[in-house]
Amino acid sequence: MADVVESRVIFPEHLPLSQLQQGVRSGRFVQGTFLASRENYLEGTLRVRGDGDSDKEVLIQGLQHLNRVMHDDIVCVEMFPEERWVAPSSLVLHDEGVAGDVAEENEEDVGHFVRSLGECGDKETETEVLLLEHDVPHQPFSHVVLACLPPPTFSITAEVRMRRVTICQIID
């Protein structure tokens, strides 16, 4: 793995499908559905279908081992020897982008307090929650941007409206 980091390639290439299929048939790889951890973005579980109704879960930890996987992806992994197996982390990790990772010792909570948004049920509060949950930028515009806008009293005159070119037409 050291050569991967030194060459500035974050993840190694994926193996060809034929090699993965052969590895699953031979038992070298196990295949399953990846379930991302809600508490730690550097951890997830691979649910592997067993014989009959029995499923087994394989813990995957670390950015290198996650290798671009997304929740509900079907993936193949090569198992470590049993002496290298570990338990899930007790740390709650939140990806804070450029601010770095925030780690908390935690057993039950699945988040951390940043700021109060307002009262539950309030329309503005609920709107902000939705924007935050889906990473929609919603900060106020800077003074530089606002200076580019026409004044609040601006309206389109009939003369300007007549000069406008319609670039689309709705057909009934």
Side-chain angles (χ1 to χ4, degrees):
M1 293 254 183
D3 59 332
V4 172
V5 175
E6 289 174 10
S7 68
R8 295 216 179 255
V9 173
I10 296 174
F11 301 108
E13 291 291 321
H14 289 124
L15 297 176
L17 181 59
S18 60
Q19 193 174 347
L20 293 172
Q21 291 170 332
Q22 181 181 2
V24 170
R25 280 193 299 273
S26 71
R28 178 180 173 204
F29 301 133
V30 294
Q31 179 179 335
T33 304
F34 178 77
L35 306 171
S37 169
R38 297 173 125 195
E39 291 81 26
N40 187 334
Y41 75 101
L42 294 175
E43 214 170 66
T45 304
L46 185 66
R47 180 164 294 142
V48 180
R49 291 266 180 229
D51 296 331
D53 291 336
S54 66
D55 288 353
K56 67 179 177 179
E57 292 187 347
V58 177
L59 176 67
I60 302 175
Q61 285 183 320
L63 188 61
Q64 286 290 318
H65 296 130
L66 291 172
N67 194 356
R68 298 171 286 221
V69 69
M70 300 293 286
H71 186 77
D72 279 340
D73 280 355
I74 305 296
V75 298
C76 294
V77 297
E78 186 172 14
M79 299 289 290
F80 283 146
E82 202 165 326
E83 61 269 8
R84 290 191 57 195
W85 291 6
V86 296
S89 173
S90 64
L91 287 179
V92 175
L93 288 179
H94 307 282
D95 184 1
E96 298 292 329
V98 294
D101 300 333
V102 176
E104 305 170 15
E105 281 291 341
N106 208 325
E107 293 182 12
E108 293 182 22
D109 294 339
V110 292
H112 66 283
F113 179 80
V114 176
R115 65 185 163 103
S116 175
L117 298 176
E119 294 292 321
C120 287
D122 178 65
K123 184 177 178 181
E124 287 184 29
T125 301
E126 299 294 334
T127 301
E128 186 168 359
V129 166
L130 287 171
L131 294 171
L132 287 168
E133 283 181 343
H134 298 284
D135 294 324
V136 177
H138 61 283
Q139 296 80 10
F141 289 110
S142 70
H143 294 293
V144 174
V145 171
L146 293 174
C148 296
L149 297 175
T153 57
F154 176 81
S155 65
I156 298 176
T157 63
E159 179 183 327
V160 170
R161 191 173 289 128
M162 300 257 316
R163 288 186 301 189
R164 296 177 96 185
V165 177
T166 303
I167 59 170
C168 67
Q169 181 177 1
I170 300 174
I171 301 173
D172 292 330

